[in-house]
Amino acid sequence: MSLDLMAERSAEWFAKCFGHPPRWMVAAPGRVNLIGEHTDYNDGFVLPMAIERYMVIAADRNTNKHVTLHSVTTGDTANFSLRPKIERGDPVWSNYIRGVIAGFQERGERIGGFNAVIDSTLPYGGGLASSAALEVATATLLETIGGHALDPVEKALLCQQAEHDFGGVPCGLMDQFTSVLAQGNHALLLDCRSRVATPVRMTDPRISILIINTHLRHKLSDGEYARRRAECEHAARVLKVDALRDATLGALKRAQRMLEPTVFRRARHVITENERTLQAADAIQAGKWERVGDLMYASHASLRNDYEVSCRELDAVVEIARGISQEDGMLGCRMTGAGFGGCAVSLVNSEAVRHITRKLEDAYEQQIGNSLTIFSSRPAAGTRVLR
Ligand code: GLA
């Protein structure tokens, strides 16, 4: 569904729920990460692009100092007071919005009551940063209502904090940063330490990005994500560096006997993934797509073996992809996002999209007994005000 159509649908829902047209409408995209996984909270490099899948919020002020939210996707409603202090609450998705409002209040912004309808074409819990998109859309809405824009990086940081405090996941900055700062037709090579992003052009018509959804919902708040992060921080302390971004493979090997085997492997993933990410950005710029594909496969192997965040379903997708040669148009494939389910991303020759999609669907159905949803996306721009 196009963003225009979504906007129309959200406006209709708003009118149905609240009896008049919305005054404001905003959108924020999800993202797919091409490479650079679990590197962001290690001050490393990531290479995501925003996708043409969005959270849209239609809203208007109300007069009762309450926020009333209706989700088109889930059909449920949240209602909470803005005073004295915003707390976590139900439904679960409302926490991303609560968290962002709390962040604005902490900055001293006065937030009045409002009604809103939330619509989405992003699968929830699908590894495409639906929660970040909801946070960023909320922040864009609050900026619009207040008539005062935040610095974009601060806005991404505020949204990341909302995810930490209200979503319960100690995530890095990649998802929120991408949803705020993405540029159409470009992936972003983001240095998560300096927070400087270099746009990497992705307009070669011969190349398509396929997003492959296993429909396996991941739940990051169950502790695996936080455990990985803690393991990385532990490794950095042993290696006496600020973050694993600063470690080398040589130093890691020299310190091997001081590290638990699991922690050693976690660190090895991060160090090698940072290298792969920088190499992939160079390869894209040079149009060396087969090289990018090889790096994606290597990234997946490292996430599966060293970082242990893949799962049977994602491994099946990548193995099926591997069975299709680069000559036949499948250039590379890997899990994307935090892992434990969600989506894979693949790089394919545009003319082979149809045939590859069919192959992946059939083989997966045969092996796993479930169906995949596959779609392609061009790199989208970041959050914007629609009305
Ligand atoms: C989630 C987090 C990101 C990042 C990825 C893994 O999407 O929100 O910050 O850590 O996992 O690369």
Side-chain angles (χ1 to χ4, degrees):
M1 186 189 289
S2 72
L3 189 52
D4 287 345
L5 251 162
M6 266 188 95
E8 246 174 64
R9 182 169 83 174
S10 314
E12 276 167 23
W13 269 99
F14 186 92
K16 227 191 271 174
C17 292
F18 300 108
H20 57 93
R23 172 149 171 209
W24 300 290
M25 292 217 276
V26 297
R31 64 98 189 91
V32 68
N33 189 17
L34 299 175
I35 196 163
E37 218 65 84
H38 289 280
T39 43
D40 61 352
Y41 51 82
N42 290 297
D43 274 3
F45 298 93
V46 293
L47 188 56
M49 63 177 224
I51 56 175
E52 297 155 307
R53 294 285 182 118
Y54 299 91
M55 283 286 169
V56 167
I57 306 183
D60 197 359
R61 244 190 263 285
N62 64 28
T63 48
N64 60 25
K65 302 212 165 42
H66 273 241
V67 174
T68 302
L69 307 168
H70 178 77
S71 161
V72 176
T73 315
T74 64
D76 50 10
T77 298
N79 189 290
F80 53 91
S81 166
L82 287 161
R83 311 218 156 74
K85 193 172 177 275
I86 299 200
E87 306 281 356
R88 295 182 53 148
D90 285 326
V92 175
W93 54 262
S94 72
N95 285 310
Y96 303 113
I97 298 174
R98 293 171 196 254
V100 173
I101 300 175
F104 271 69
Q105 286 181 331
E106 245 164 62
R107 292 174 57 96
E109 309 269 344
R110 289 171 56 110
I111 308 289
F114 64 91
N115 299 330
V117 158
I118 296 124
D119 196 2
S120 167
T121 46
L122 277 163
Y124 176 64
L128 300 176
S130 54
S131 57
L134 182 52
E135 289 149 7
V136 170
T138 304
T140 302
L141 175 69
L142 297 183
E143 287 177 327
T144 312
I145 297 178
H148 163 218
L150 305 185
D151 165 77
V153 176
E154 269 182 45
K155 178 174 171 181
L157 287 166
L158 185 154
C159 291
Q160 180 195 24
Q161 197 63 46
E163 180 95 29
H164 288 193
D165 298 344
F166 283 72
V169 180
C171 64
L173 189 57
M174 167 170 69
D175 301 351
Q176 292 80 6
F177 190 98
T178 309
S179 190
V180 174
L181 282 129
Q183 294 184 20
N185 294 325
H186 293 80
L188 292 181
L189 175 65
L190 169 62
D191 177 336
C192 296
R193 172 169 280 162
S194 66
R195 298 176 188 139
V196 171
T198 311
V200 179
R201 209 170 168 76
M202 294 271 296
T203 46
D204 189 334
R206 295 168 306 168
I207 301 297
S208 296
I209 302 293
L210 288 187
I211 295 152
I212 304 158
N213 190 354
T214 63
H215 298 286
L216 212 75
R217 282 236 187 138
H218 70 180
K219 199 160 160 278
L220 301 183
S221 45
D222 67 0
E224 285 299 325
Y225 185 94
R227 189 165 313 133
R228 296 296 181 288
R229 186 168 181 160
E231 287 165 344
C232 290
E233 283 161 7
H234 173 70
R237 276 195 299 277
V238 173
L239 293 170
K240 299 200 169 63
V241 289
D242 288 342
L244 284 181
R245 146 75 172 271
D246 306 305
T248 62
L249 216 45
L252 178 68
K253 284 185 183 147
R254 285 193 292 280
Q256 184 159 8
R257 45 180 189 79
M258 294 190 288
L259 293 163
E260 297 258 320
T262 318
V263 176
F264 174 81
R265 285 186 291 114
R266 303 294 189 252
R268 181 166 62 189
H269 164 73
V270 174
I271 294 169
T272 56
E273 184 78 352
N274 272 327
E275 281 172 19
R276 282 186 289 270
T277 305
L278 293 172
Q279 288 168 7
D282 283 346
I284 292 176
Q285 268 152 347
K288 293 187 178 155
W289 296 107
E290 289 174 0
R291 170 83 181 128
V292 183
D294 290 340
L295 290 163
M296 289 171 79
Y297 283 129
S299 166
H300 185 80
S302 176
L303 287 158
R304 182 190 59 210
N305 302 332
D306 276 354
Y307 219 65
E308 294 179 284
V309 289
S310 186
C311 60
R312 189 170 78 99
E313 291 79 357
L314 288 168
D315 291 344
V317 171
V318 175
E319 275 319 299
I320 297 164
R322 260 189 178 291
I324 310 171
S325 66
Q326 291 191 327
E327 290 71 46
D328 284 336
M330 171 55 86
L331 301 169
C333 185
R334 57 183 287 280
M335 56 155 274
T336 187
F340 311 108
C343 292
V345 57
S346 76
L347 196 65
V348 301
N349 283 336
S350 299
E351 57 193 26
V353 164
R354 273 266 201 82
H355 147 83
I356 283 177
T357 302
R358 173 93 50 80
K359 252 197 165 156
L360 286 168
E361 284 168 349
D362 290 351
Y364 186 83
E365 173 96 47
Q366 234 173 33
Q367 275 182 37
I368 304 287
N370 277 326
S371 49
L372 294 170
T373 304
I374 303 180
F375 63 95
S376 70
S377 177
R378 293 156 48 83
T383 184
R384 67 210 87 144
V385 179
L386 305 173
R387 181 190 287 188

